Amino acid sequence: MSAQNSALRGLTFAFLGFAVFATHDVLIKVLGGTYSVLQIIFFATLFSFVPMAVTILADRTTGNFVPRHPWLVLLRSALMVTAMSCAFYAFSVLPLAEVYSLLFSFPLIVTVLSIPILGEVVRAQRWAAVGVGLIGVLIVLRPGATDITLGHLAALTAAFCSAFASVLVRKIGNEERSAVLILYPMLLAIVVMSIAQPAVYQPPSLLHLTMMAAVGVLSVIAQHLIILAYRAAPAGVVAPSQYSQIIWATIFGVLFFGEHPDIWVAVGASIIIASGVFVVWRESRSNTTSANTPVLRVRSPRSDTGATRPGE
């Protein structure tokens, strides 16, 4: 297969994957108007566990399910559960495009966290991109001009926890079985959310239960499509496609929720996206100064789904 065909195939998988993620997020927003995010996560994780278990059983790597770095695996699992809870809450209370704008700070946070955790050396240009991206976040939030709500803080927390979890994978991923990295976050989510159910549970209708199941299944499908994209095309080609989610967010927001992002959200999102794309471009250069390419090697930036498969 030619390089051009491979790139086209990879981009097709990636765009499909992120379109599925956007649909997943629409369901979360709809359900969040009636149910606690803790209940949505509980059922979504239960339903995603079955297809992910198939993936785990298909892993022929020798060894058991005991992690080699138990405390780091537990920390990553806790970060993923926190990211999922915060992202689900943000989607339920904020316009879709606004949530995505803040989640797109993910690669900038990865860049910063990779310095103490991975020993990454970040030069002036990538620092400048991080600074510009921060300005974009401030434009979206506009502190002082608009109220910063719990939803905004939740979206930023989700971005931070997803980035932290992704950097930890770069640190321990080569020593841990993929099955371990998949299984532990899902089990932790099920345990934590089951404990919360007596306080938040509302009997769901059959339609809503089906939608909760769809949230879990769609996350698995989207993750698989994105991994196929990275297998087919170079990371530098695939990684920027994550920003296509803002297009879906805008379309779905208008069609289903009557959301019309204001000019400041559009400007801020554009700045954040440009900064993230620049970081990806810098890491993908053949003469890059990045030893770890932490952003490029994140095979899925959506740790907030709870069914994340680590990079391959």
Side-chain angles (χ1 to χ4, degrees), residues 71-199:
W71 292 111
L72 291 180
V73 169
L74 180 60
L75 174 59
R76 174 179 174 270
S77 300
L79 288 167
M80 290 180 66
V81 173
T82 302
M84 182 165 48
S85 302
C86 290
F88 277 39
Y89 177 75
F91 279 120
S92 69
V93 299
L94 292 178
L96 291 171
E98 204 162 323
V99 179
Y100 279 119
S101 299
L102 298 175
L103 291 180
F104 285 158
S105 62
F106 167 89
L108 308 176
I109 301 171
V110 168
T111 301
V112 174
L113 291 177
S114 67
I115 299 172
I117 297 175
L118 302 177
E120 177 78 353
V121 176
V122 176
R123 306 296 185 188
Q125 288 181 314
R126 278 195 290 166
W127 273 121
V130 171
V132 171
L134 178 59
I135 292 173
V137 171
L138 291 175
I139 290 174
V140 172
L141 294 177
R142 282 169 292 157
T146 59
D147 292 332
I148 298 178
T149 67
L150 187 58
H152 295 104
L153 297 178
L156 289 173
T157 301
F160 176 83
C161 290
S162 291
F164 198 168
S166 297
V167 174
L168 284 180
V169 167
R170 291 287 301 114
K171 185 174 181 65
I172 65 175
N174 291 333
E175 300 177 46
E176 297 286 358
R177 291 183 65 192
S178 294
V180 168
L181 297 174
I182 295 170
L183 181 64
Y184 279 75
M186 298 189 75
L187 290 178
L188 182 63
I190 291 172
V191 170
V192 171
M193 300 307 156
S194 64
I195 293 173
Q197 290 314 293

Side-chain angles (χ1 to χ4, degrees), residues 295-308:
V295 175
L296 277 182
R297 290 175 182 263
V298 174
R299 290 297 181 261
S300 174
R302 293 298 301 264
S303 298
D304 57 271
T305 64
T308 301

